[in-house]
Amino acid sequence: MCGIVGYTGSRQAYPVILKGLKRLEYRGYDSSGVALLKDGELNVYKKKGKVAELEESMIGNNIDAQIGIGHTRWATHGEPSDRNAHPHSSASGKLAMIHNGIIENYALIKQDLINKGYEFKSDTDTEVLLNFIEDIQQNNNSTLEEAVRIALKRVTGAYCILLIEQDNPDTIIAARKGSPLVIGIGKGEHFLASDASPIIEYTKEVVYVNDYELAIVKPDELILKNLGNEKITPYITKLDMELAAIEKGGYDHFMIKEIFEQPSTIFDCLRGRLDAKEGVIRMSGVDKHIDQLINANRIMILACGTSWHAGLIAEYIIEELCRIPVEVEYASEFRYRNPIVNKGDVIIAISQSGETADTLVALEKAKENGAFIFGVVNAVGSSIARISNAGAYTHAGPEIGVASTKAFTGQLAVLMMVALDIAKHKGTISDERYKSLLLELEEVPEKVNAILKNAEDIKKIAEKYKDASDFLFLGRGYNFPVALEGALKLKEISYIHAEGYPAAEMKHGPIALVDENLPVVFIATKDMYHEKIVSNMQEIKARKGKIISIVTEGDTVSPGLSNDFFAIPPADELIAPILTVIPLQLLSYYVGTAKGIDVDKPRNLAKSVTVE
Ligand code: F6R
């Protein structure tokens, strides 16, 4: 959460920073700002609202500078406002800083500073850290770099900070713990950002900064140190990402672009791993650690939000195919309780961003207890990818829309392959079933394509129900987590209250909500639960609920009970969730846009939740 950008070199810094902030806006859009330094003059400009509002307010300002930092905020300490926007200026006005994260012990530090006579212009923890740094710098008569190092040893919490100093014409000091930082290496210039998207068009050579590292960045020099002031050799990585992947490419929103990308992202995810003709799955992350995986006493899946829903589906699949007990837990719960984790346990961590703070800290805790971590991550080189002992990338490409879509189907494809690979080695799957699932999986991109061709049908359904105040989503078995996901998607981007339930659970409470105004979405594909879910549909129909169903092509029963239905190609029930979720993604998109909501930046949300 919060996006940060920095530049030092010979170009004009402001356009680089502004463009970068637009790319990082998915990380928060409560306010934004820039600090620009030229000839000893440090100017800070900031504005509540989206980056476009900052851009407008900048007309007429002096933007001539070759060094600067910029920030787009997801508010934690202090309401979204101009004065709480970053960058913050220090008490003397000589330093400017941006921050992504939370300083947990800010209150104590603030009190100390107030006792010394400091006054604060904002309600943020960031301004506290900044003045703390300046206080150390002044008292110790030290350089900014030294003061930052001393201050960071005393703070708890998470941070990625960038600082510039009036008297230091070309240097950015940066440091991270828990919040991401990438440094792009150009010729006589450096770019700093929360992820690679603001950097990609200038250079493909990047350094991912690690926790507890501090960077001193000048146009021609990058020095990395740890907090003990020892130098670290920067490890340069080549970015495997194209500019087109982070642009809208003619679509109205990133979300719809990403929904429509799914045939190719799923194909990319399967490519080189799944060979249905040969009847093999090749996943180096699984194969290299196969003993650990087949001998696991149990598997725990840790994730948040949509990724947690993928985990629930994986639980059903892994237990069915591999006969290993699986528990799925919200990472945020796991990290604060006293869970039992044993040496033989395998943890599967699922995360699109690879930076979700709750998941990351839960993994650190599990690792300390000797668990083996297998990461299913989309963002290459991210913190969760790096902390994992092994793993498999989802290869969905950058996901920019705040609502996760293509990452989810990528996660399902990876988890299905992992389960099949383990089951094959463990001998818990018959050859026939293995081969048929491989063939089915191979057909998924084509089937997703077929579903997307009928997107207009979902649009019509969305227009019909867009004014409902509540929705219920019901599914059974493998499609129960899809119901949860459908409800989450709708809530996020249409602001309509929605709940997902196992269809049979409905009669234990939620049925009380049903009347002629309540749309109930059934995921009612042809599987072993079909007759049961048809009974649940009857129960809703009898109470005059409006039924929208996702059915299998050729099914005549469920459509007959539905006010509206959408048919998807037939699929094995283990594979079906990758298909059934697509119309639900479209439904939420079309409802959200019909209501005039900025679906890529829904209120209060941000992608990459790097705060607890
Ligand atoms: C929902 C959504 C969130 C994320 C959650 C975890 O559309 O995007 O619920 O799934 O914040 O994020 P990652 O997968 O990045 O760990």
Side-chain angles (χ1 to χ4, degrees):
M1 294 179 145
C2 299
I4 58 160
V5 189
Y7 175 79
T8 177
S10 53
R11 297 172 200 252
Q12 283 293 320
Y14 175 67
V16 174
I17 293 170
L18 188 74
K19 204 186 233 186
L21 290 180
K22 286 183 181 166
R23 297 234 168 101
L24 291 180
E25 216 175 358
Y26 70 87
R27 302 177 67 89
Y29 30 83
D30 289 330
S31 62
S32 59
V34 291
L36 301 167
L37 175 62
K38 173 101 179 174
D39 300 333
E41 200 182 305
L42 180 55
N43 288 317
V44 174
Y45 307 105
K46 44 198 200 173
K47 187 86 193 136
K48 180 180 166 189
K50 295 183 178 157
V51 177
E53 286 165 64
L54 172 75
E55 188 177 13
E56 213 182 300
S57 73
M58 288 293 285
I59 296 166
N61 286 343
N62 174 15
I63 52 165
D64 177 29
Q66 280 79 43
I67 177 169
I69 53 178
H71 187 270
T72 178
R73 177 170 189 245
W74 187 83
T76 56
H77 286 62
E79 57 168 14
S81 62
D82 288 356
R83 72 190 185 90
N84 286 330
H86 299 215
H88 290 281
S89 310
S90 62
S92 72
K94 287 186 172 174
L95 304 178
M97 183 170 102
I98 52 176
H99 169 214
N100 168 23
I102 289 186
I103 303 303
E104 285 165 1
N105 58 343
Y106 81 99
L108 271 176
I109 302 172
K110 185 171 186 176
Q111 194 51 56
D112 276 355
L113 292 170
I114 289 173
N115 295 346
K116 286 182 174 182
Y118 277 84
E119 284 175 11
F120 289 86
K121 295 170 281 207
S122 77
D123 308 317
T124 64
D125 51 340
T126 306
E127 193 188 4
V128 174
L129 175 58
L130 177 59
N131 281 329
F132 184 41
I133 292 170
E134 180 158 83
D135 192 59
I136 295 170
Q137 195 183 12
Q138 287 171 353
N139 283 341
N140 295 12
N141 202 13
S142 58
T143 62
L144 178 59
E145 177 202 329
E146 280 160 358
V148 168
R149 204 171 22 247
I150 295 167
L152 293 183
K153 282 189 191 158
R154 300 221 211 132
V155 300
T156 55
Y159 54 79
C160 171
I161 51 170
L162 303 192
L163 290 111
I164 50 176
E165 187 180 24
Q166 202 176 48
D167 304 330
N168 204 338
D170 63 359
T171 308
I172 299 176
I173 304 285
R176 76 155 266 185
K177 187 209 147 199
S179 302
L181 174 61
V182 192
I183 302 180
I185 316 220
K187 286 199 174 73
E189 57 185 351
H190 283 106
F191 306 83
L192 300 91
S194 302
D195 73 25
S197 60
I199 298 175
I200 182 80
E201 68 190 274
Y202 309 106
T203 175
K204 290 209 163 181
E205 295 203 331
V206 297
V207 172
Y208 290 96
V209 178
N210 291 310
D211 278 352
Y212 303 108
E213 286 179 0
L214 187 139
I216 302 116
V217 192
K218 298 172 191 273
D220 287 312
E221 195 179 27
L222 165 63
I223 300 173
L224 267 192
K225 291 185 177 177
N226 61 22
L227 293 187
N229 200 22
E230 290 159 338
K231 279 198 181 173
I232 299 163
T233 310
Y235 179 74
I236 299 173
T237 319
K238 268 234 167 320
L239 283 177
D240 180 21
M241 190 199 272
E242 294 306 324
L243 188 57
I246 53 168
E247 292 186 329
K248 277 192 211 151
Y251 286 93
D252 288 342
H253 298 97
F254 281 110
M255 183 178 176
I256 193 71
K257 175 189 174 225
E258 287 161 6
I259 291 174
F260 271 83
E261 272 173 1
Q262 288 176 109
S264 66
T265 54
I266 299 168
F267 181 81
D268 286 345
C269 176
L270 303 176
R271 191 175 46 186
R273 292 167 163 169
L274 172 85
D275 190 337
K277 229 196 245 148
E278 291 287 312
V280 284
I281 286 175
R282 292 185 199 92
M283 299 192 90
S284 59
V286 176
D287 300 338
K288 277 189 199 150
H289 302 274
I290 196 65
D291 290 341
Q292 183 93 37
L293 294 165
I294 59 177
N295 294 317
N297 300 324
R298 80 175 164 160
I299 293 178
M300 285 190 86
I301 300 182
L302 300 180
C304 302
T306 289
S307 299
W308 185 79
H309 296 155
L312 287 179
I313 297 169
E315 175 188 14
Y316 284 32
I317 294 173
I318 295 171
E319 291 204 342
E320 165 74 18
L321 298 182
C322 312
R323 309 309 295 155
I324 301 172
V326 181
E327 288 167 32
V328 189
E329 186 152 342
Y330 286 115
S332 53
E333 286 299 312
F334 177 91
R335 63 176 292 194
Y336 285 115
R337 60 186 194 86
N338 190 9
I340 300 168
V341 182
N342 299 312
K343 252 194 165 268
D345 289 344
V346 166
I347 304 269
I348 299 184
I350 310 175
S351 177
Q352 186 287 123
S353 62
E355 301 293 347
T356 300
D358 285 323
T359 311
L360 193 53
V361 181
L363 294 180
E364 280 162 4
K365 185 167 176 175
K367 215 173 176 184
E368 276 164 25
N369 290 329
F372 176 84
I373 317 271
F374 188 94
V376 177
V377 175
N378 192 39
V380 177
S382 56
S383 302
I384 294 176
R386 285 182 290 151
I387 199 185
S388 300
N389 300 95
Y393 282 117
T394 41
H395 294 313
E399 191 180 66
I400 294 168
V402 161
S404 187
T405 53
K406 62 177 181 171
F408 178 73
T409 47
Q411 289 164 351
L412 294 183
V414 163
L415 290 160
M416 185 71 203
M417 287 189 284
V418 169
L420 282 165
D421 206 4
I422 298 175
K424 180 76 177 150
H425 282 95
K426 202 164 185 251
T428 47
I429 187 168
S430 69
D431 282 352
E432 199 189 335
R433 180 100 177 99
Y434 179 76
K435 279 189 189 139
S436 94
L437 283 171
L438 255 54
L439 282 169
E440 285 255 357
L441 201 47
E442 199 178 51
E443 287 170 1
V444 165
E446 211 175 294
K447 289 182 180 173
V448 172
N449 208 13
I451 293 171
L452 290 170
K453 282 199 176 127
N454 297 325
E456 281 297 312
D457 296 346
I458 291 283
K459 193 173 181 182
K460 283 182 199 137
I461 297 176
E463 269 152 21
K464 191 163 158 191
Y465 295 97
K466 72 176 184 345
D467 295 320
S469 55
D470 306 271
F471 265 73
L472 200 55
F473 286 76
L474 301 174
R476 295 181 85 122
Y478 298 95
N479 277 324
F480 150 56
V482 177
L484 297 181
E485 176 60 7
L488 176 66
K489 263 333 53 116
L490 191 71
K491 274 187 271 219
E492 278 184 288
I493 58 166
S494 73
Y495 313 153
I496 295 176
H497 167 246
E499 289 191 49
Y501 263 93
E505 230 2 71
M506 177 242 332
K507 45 189 184 302
H508 299 285
I511 198 163
L513 298 171
V514 179
D515 63 13
E516 67 279 8
N517 298 316
L518 184 76
V520 183
V521 180
F522 275 94
I523 301 121
T525 43
K526 277 276 195 187
D527 53 26
M528 63 181 279
Y529 309 97
H530 190 245
E531 280 176 14
K532 301 269 176 222
I533 208 156
V534 165
S535 307
N536 300 138
M537 290 168 90
Q538 297 277 18
E539 287 153 12
I540 296 292
K541 195 174 165 67
R543 286 157 185 86
K544 299 195 168 50
K546 298 278 181 296
I547 298 180
I548 304 162
S549 59
I550 308 300
V551 304
T552 306
E553 277 164 16
D555 177 11
T556 48
V557 181
S558 326
L561 292 168
S562 309
N563 298 74
D564 293 278
F565 70 95
F566 183 87
I568 64 158
D572 188 284
E573 61 187 8
L574 273 73
I575 307 275
I578 314 185
L579 305 179
T580 51
V581 75
I582 310 280
L584 304 188
Q585 295 170 345
L586 289 167
L587 181 69
S588 61
Y589 174 78
Y590 289 127
V591 172
T593 47
K595 294 182 77 154
I597 290 167
D598 181 353
V599 294
D600 281 341
K601 300 186 198 93
R603 70 182 176 209
N604 303 337
L605 287 168
K607 217 168 173 68
S608 194
V609 185
T610 52
V611 297
E612 294 171 35

